[in-house]
Amino acid sequence: MKRVLVILTGGTITMVRNPQSGALRPADVETFKAFVPELFAGNVEVDMLPFNPLIDSSDISPANWTRMANAVVTNYTKYDGFVILHGTDTMSYSASALSFMLENLSKPIVFTGSQLPVGVLRSDAKENLLTAIEIAATARPDGQPMVPEVTIFFEDSLFRANRTTKKNAEHFEAFDSYNYPSLAKAGVHITYRPHLIRYPETLSPLFTHMHTCTDVAILKLFPGINEAVVRAVLNTEGLKGVVLETYGSGNAPSAQWLYKALKQATDKGIIIVNKTQCSMGSVDMGQYEVAKNLLKAGVISGYDITTEALLTKMMTLLGEHPNDTDRIKHLLSIPICGEMTISK
Ligand code: ASP
């Protein structure tokens, strides 16, 4: 019998309504378990490891990423796969972070949650959870795990975690992976697409990167953005990395003050990566004149990476190699676990 460890962090899936205020808040683990007796009656042995207390994912911090990663590492040899129950709001951040924190992963870690609490009649909780467990327990004919990656399963799609974004606060189809196809689709059967799944080339031991650095910022450009705002962000005390959200294929205003502010920041050793505000497509700083200033200012291309993946990749690399800017820049400009595709 396959064994799966379900790590409960919280989120709507675990929530009940507060009778006084009417607002949703995380329940305790026993209440949650009582709603899903089928978890313990199937052909997969399921154990639960709850955060205490369970939390809304708006309260998730890098310390919680480390806690999730540690829970996997501590139990790595005991289980065939892992499911992490998590609120949807910041699930893409946590799942992306874990993909960078756990190098040489050879077992499935499937994040899931739900849009309606488990106790609500029309809830999507049970289907998401039961399918996530099945995916975490599924092996190929050679006995190796079918999806040895960090993934998100939601509604009917299994996505590579570091390609996802929460796209909908209302529909059951809450996530998308705009720049990479789904790894599996769940209908009557779960149909896997092995040619899209990352399989380890060699079976190396799991290697962890548990340190993250929070001296980072996201700077989103908009028409009319002024110098004082840009400088306030770039002059933030201790700042080490910036996700610069640009237009289209990675374009920015050609104003000299912007170029100068960015150049001064990169000269100081601040790493700036260009991420397009578009959900689909890639940064290409060679295409338009207005992007050339960014290149000259030392800004790196983020190609088709998501903001969630770029930010968490930066935080992990800055945490692991605090004094090696060149190495971080190099690792940010190449895919390290399937998080981006370098366009030709
Ligand atoms: N606020 C909730 C959370 O992220 C939303 C959800 O789980 O869907 O924890």
Side-chain angles (χ1 to χ4, degrees), residues 80 85 170 209 233 289:
D80 297 287
L85 292 191
E170 163 76 18
H209 306 278
V233 173
E289 206 58 58

Side-chain angles (χ1 to χ4, degrees), residues 11-12 15 55-58 86-90 114-115 166:
T12 298
M15 290 189 188
I55 54 177
D56 189 293
S57 79
S58 302
H86 195 290
T88 58
D89 290 347
T90 63
S114 67
Q115 293 283 56
K166 182 174 179 181

Side-chain angles (χ1 to χ4, degrees), residues 115-147:
Q115 293 283 56
L116 282 173
V118 66
V120 170
L121 216 51
R122 270 188 333 103
S123 177
D124 48 336
K126 282 192 187 184
E127 274 173 49
N128 285 350
L129 174 55
L130 296 173
T131 311
I133 290 174
E134 183 169 336
I135 292 168
T138 299
R140 295 186 302 179
D142 66 358
Q144 294 305 312
M146 180 57 93
V147 193

Side-chain angles (χ1 to χ4, degrees), residues 181-256:
S182 61
L183 306 181
K185 275 278 178 195
V188 174
H189 303 287
I190 302 176
T191 310
Y192 294 95
R193 298 161 151 174
H195 62 290
L196 297 170
I197 298 170
R198 268 185 102 233
Y199 292 104
E201 276 156 32
T202 51
L203 274 188
S204 315
L206 184 68
F207 193 76
T208 61
H209 306 278
M210 296 295 193
H211 301 289
T212 46
C213 167
T214 54
D215 296 321
V216 291
I218 299 176
L219 177 56
K220 182 169 184 162
L221 298 180
F222 57 89
I225 191 166
N226 70 43
E227 183 170 356
V229 168
V230 171
R231 287 205 180 268
V233 173
L234 297 178
N235 290 334
T236 304
E237 182 80 36
L239 188 71
K240 297 196 174 65
V242 177
V243 172
L244 181 66
E245 290 202 350
T246 58
Y247 308 131
S249 56
N251 302 316
S254 47
Q256 273 304 300

